[in-house]
Amino acid sequence: MSASVAVAAPAAWMTLPRVKMALLRSVSIALFFLIWAVFSYANAHYLKLFNAILMPGPLDVFWTGVDLVQSGELQRDILASMSRVLQGFCIAAVAGVGLGMVVGRSRLLENLIDPMLEVLRPIPPLAFLPMMVLWFGIGEASKIAFIAYAAFFPIFTTTLEGIKYVDPLLLRAASSLGATQRDLFRYVVLPAAMPGIITGLRLGFGLSFFVIVAAEFIAADSGLGYLINDARTFFLVSQMLLGAAVIGIIGFTFNRLLRMLEARLLRWRKTSWT
Amino acid sequence: MDIMDQSPAASVTRTKIRIEGVSKTFDNGLTALARVNLDLPENSFTCLLGPSGCGKSTLLNMIAGFAEPTAGRVLVDGVAVKGASADRGMVFQEYALFPWRTAVENVEFGPMIRRMSRGERRKLAMDYLELVGLKGHESKFPSELSGGMKQRVAIARALANNPSILLMDEPFGALDAQTREILQEEMLRIWEKARKTVVFVTHSISEALFLADRVVVMATRPGSIKTVIDVDLPHPRERSDPAFVALERQVKQLVREEVDKLGVI
């Protein structure tokens, strides 16, 4: 038998109450904006290290945002980007999870398909963007296809791994409870692979967001990437920063939402994580 | 080969599991079991006892249908075992609970596979959870349960299928000594209520003598049966009882001989 060994007292910083931690984190963000504002102001009025137009302050960016909302441009661009991301991501999710499940169940298919994907994987998806424009035109199709392609890989890989590395003991347990092959897949393999699949979907979604901007740089007349690229043409630095900030905020929000969904779906893991 | 048929109970009950000249050689040439013969009567409680490497788990896995003998056959009710079956419930040392299902959902698994209705299987599962003393813990996930509780759920899950055979592979091996003794007593109480043919693998002599009608002491290199001992001590058994201690010493000697054969371990 083993008496449980007393755990060493946690370091002082780990005992900080939750509220204090949250406060500290807010201060960090406030500090970021403060440094930015001070630097931009100082550069414009005292230091004059470079042309002030290159470094607008946070307030300039904010007012640019207000202008763009009033003209309706920002909403239109957000909607355009989001619709592409969602469509591309959905295609990637269906293809990645579907193929991952099929391939994960068969050694033959795995050896047939996986090497093919391993060849493509190290090539940055961006390298294929010009080609996709040639294939699918400059309309929506090329951007959706590009996103789908980029997001496919993490989703496929994590699904495949999840399906493949199911604890064999659980399979034994289920079959000694009367489960058939079909039952095993539905009631053991699938739920066991779920954490992996959800992680893959989250990574895939993040990647979709990552690549949409580049796709909209190349060929688009709407979207947040277009907003930034268009601003570059007209030397509107505030608008460029605004585009970047909006992408950041949307990406952050979606990642949070997906993590909440993950925590909800995988609540059985909760105590094993803390 | 039936050297142990002196007990009156064994002569009236029929053979439930028959192991006939079973050998198991792994792909790497290692012989885990060599020509094992064993008859287990219906509703008996048998412990397979021996040091690691005596093939006791291999034998259990062949009864479960997870492994096939290289030679010989395993018969259950006179029919050769082929694959796992819901009639042979299994309890593992590592619990093997489905972590994404709550305690009651784990117990419901077998009935669910049999397409029992939702309400019926929930009621059944709750009854079995109560039998193993886990009333009030039904909606907890395995990650929220202690080792002893997990194993109680695993036992309830195996029983919920009402199998005629219960196979247990060192089920209490990962538990601390106190929990282990409590669960041994619980196991006997449950076995009184739900009679099954139990095959219980352990390397603990005290556990084997506390639980079993008969203890099959296994030999190593290659794995085979060394002796079969009928334990006639009445239940509840007391570990400090002189008869128990004497038997324990005798079995210890037998097991020791096998451990010594393994050399330095």
Side-chain angles (χ1 to χ4, degrees):
Chain A
M1 74 137 241
S2 63
S4 66
V5 181
V7 181
W13 62 267
M14 286 175 72
T15 61
L16 269 183
R18 232 163 236 278
V19 187
K20 260 193 189 167
M21 294 266 235
L23 203 70
L24 211 58
R25 297 178 83 84
S26 320
V27 168
S28 159
I29 292 169
L31 212 59
F32 168 78
F33 282 105
L34 190 71
I35 292 170
W36 175 13
V38 167
F39 182 70
S40 152
Y41 187 81
N43 179 59
H45 298 275
Y46 307 109
L47 301 174
K48 305 209 192 294
L49 291 173
F50 45 81
N51 191 335
I53 206 166
L54 289 173
M55 191 65 188
L59 274 179
D60 303 316
V61 174
F62 176 76
W63 288 117
T64 307
V66 172
D67 285 347
L68 283 173
V69 169
Q70 273 166 355
S71 71
E73 220 175 312
L74 189 61
Q75 297 92 306
R76 188 188 58 123
D77 286 330
I78 291 175
L79 225 70
S81 290
M82 288 309 299
S83 126
R84 289 169 191 146
V85 164
L86 284 179
Q87 291 179 65
F89 171 75
C90 284
I91 295 172
V94 170
V97 172
L99 200 63
M101 277 183 191
V102 173
V103 172
R105 293 177 76 183
S106 148
R107 269 281 164 78
L108 184 90
L109 278 178
E110 193 194 337
N111 286 312
L112 196 68
I113 291 181
D114 205 42
M116 217 188 293
L117 295 172
E118 286 302 320
V119 170
L120 291 172
R121 189 197 307 276
I123 305 172
L126 266 175
F128 290 120
L129 179 56
M131 221 160 61
M132 293 215 181
V133 174
L134 286 183
W135 288 351
F136 298 104
I138 54 165
E140 293 300 288
S142 62
K143 271 145 280 188
I144 292 168
F146 178 61
I147 290 167
Y149 175 81
F152 169 80
F153 286 96
I155 299 175
F156 170 78
T157 308
T158 53
T159 304
L160 177 64
E161 300 289 295
I163 298 277
K164 259 170 61 183
Y165 297 110
V166 173
D167 185 355
L169 201 64
L170 292 183
L171 294 172
R172 279 189 173 189
S175 53
S176 78
L177 290 166
T180 60
Q181 282 299 317
R182 263 184 68 162
D183 294 329
L184 287 181
F185 187 75
R186 181 167 165 200
Y187 295 115
V188 183
V189 176
L190 214 50
M194 203 42 88
I197 293 175
I198 291 178
T199 306
L201 290 175
R202 203 160 44 74
L203 292 177
F205 196 82
L207 210 57
S208 310
F209 233 83
F210 230 77
V211 299
I212 180 64
V213 178
E216 288 170 348
F217 276 177
I218 290 214
D221 53 9
S222 64
L224 292 164
Y226 166 79
L227 183 80
I228 294 173
N229 204 36
D230 187 50
R232 184 184 64 96
T233 318
F234 297 100
F235 214 71
L236 303 168
V237 181
S238 295
Q239 188 176 318
M240 290 163 73
L241 284 176
L242 176 81
V246 170
I247 292 164
I249 291 166
I250 295 176
F252 174 82
T253 310
F254 269 89
N255 194 43
R256 263 301 156 93
L257 285 175
L258 286 173
R259 275 196 183 276
M260 272 161 64
L261 184 73
E262 188 175 4
R264 174 101 197 86
L265 284 174
L266 305 178
R267 64 189 193 284
W268 50 270
R269 289 201 307 196
K270 65 182 172 217
T271 42
S272 49
W273 276 87
T274 48
Chain B
M1 50 139 265
D2 261 48
I3 53 165
M4 58 288 179
D5 260 6
Q6 314 106 327
S7 74
S11 54
V12 291
T13 50
R14 64 189 194 90
T15 298
K16 179 74 182 175
I17 303 169
R18 166 162 283 176
I19 292 155
E20 249 178 32
V22 160
S23 299
K24 178 75 184 179
T25 308
F26 290 116
D27 292 339
N28 58 14
L30 188 86
T31 302
L33 285 171
R35 294 175 308 282
V36 172
N37 290 297
L38 189 64
D39 274 14
L40 304 179
E42 188 160 38
N43 295 337
S44 60
F45 197 129
T46 307
C47 274
L48 304 180
L49 175 71
S52 335
C54 67
K56 55 193 192 297
S57 287
T58 307
L59 190 56
L60 194 76
N61 282 336
M62 287 194 291
I63 301 172
F66 299 144
E68 279 177 25
T70 338
R73 48 189 197 153
V74 176
L75 303 169
V76 169
D77 295 323
V79 182
V81 166
K82 204 164 166 55
S85 150
D87 190 43
R88 280 168 272 132
M90 182 91 178
V91 176
F92 303 87
Q93 179 176 357
E94 306 87 341
Y95 322 121
L97 296 178
F98 306 115
W100 53 87
R101 302 177 80 93
T102 59
V104 70
E105 286 167 352
N106 262 283
V107 180
E108 279 179 352
F109 191 90
M112 176 194 76
I113 295 290
R114 295 201 309 270
R115 308 272 176 266
M116 187 187 277
S117 79
R118 206 172 273 271
E120 248 180 297
R121 70 184 191 232
R122 178 58 52 107
K123 199 190 160 300
L124 186 80
M126 294 299 271
D127 288 347
Y128 277 103
L129 277 177
E130 194 174 348
L131 176 70
V132 299
L134 278 186
K135 203 177 174 191
H137 297 282
E138 57 274 1
S139 43
K140 286 187 181 159
F141 286 102
S143 60
E144 299 168 294
L145 299 171
S146 68
M149 288 166 135
K150 282 184 205 170
Q151 202 54 292
R152 285 170 192 260
V153 175
I155 292 169
R157 181 176 71 175
L159 292 175
N161 257 347
N162 197 18
S164 63
I165 295 174
L166 189 59
L167 306 170
M168 309 183 82
D169 193 359
E170 304 201 31
F172 308 143
L175 304 175
D176 63 73
Q178 282 73 32
T179 311
R180 199 175 177 150
E181 284 190 10
I182 290 168
L183 277 183
Q184 287 164 2
E185 287 161 22
E186 289 276 276
M187 188 61 223
L188 286 176
R189 180 181 62 80
I190 292 164
W191 182 59
E192 287 299 324
K193 280 198 177 173
R195 279 278 163 173
K196 312 275 175 209
T197 308
V198 179
V199 187
F200 189 111
V201 164
T202 182
H203 57 245
S204 160
I205 296 162
S206 149
E207 181 166 78
L209 294 179
F210 185 78
L211 291 172
D213 300 334
R214 43 162 52 169
V215 175
V216 177
V217 181
M218 301 204 43
T220 55
R221 301 220 166 140
S224 53
I225 291 173
K226 188 177 175 79
T227 326
V228 176
I229 297 167
D230 280 313
V231 185
D232 298 326
L233 305 171
H235 285 289
R237 292 174 187 162
E238 181 50 59
R239 281 170 227 260
S240 54
D241 175 39
F244 191 97
V245 175
L247 199 54
E248 197 174 5
R249 187 176 306 130
Q250 183 195 336
V251 176
K252 203 171 213 164
Q253 186 55 41
L254 292 168
V255 173
R256 189 54 187 266
E257 287 167 19
E258 295 310 312
V259 174
D260 287 345
K261 278 206 302 200
L262 296 172
V264 180
I265 52 171

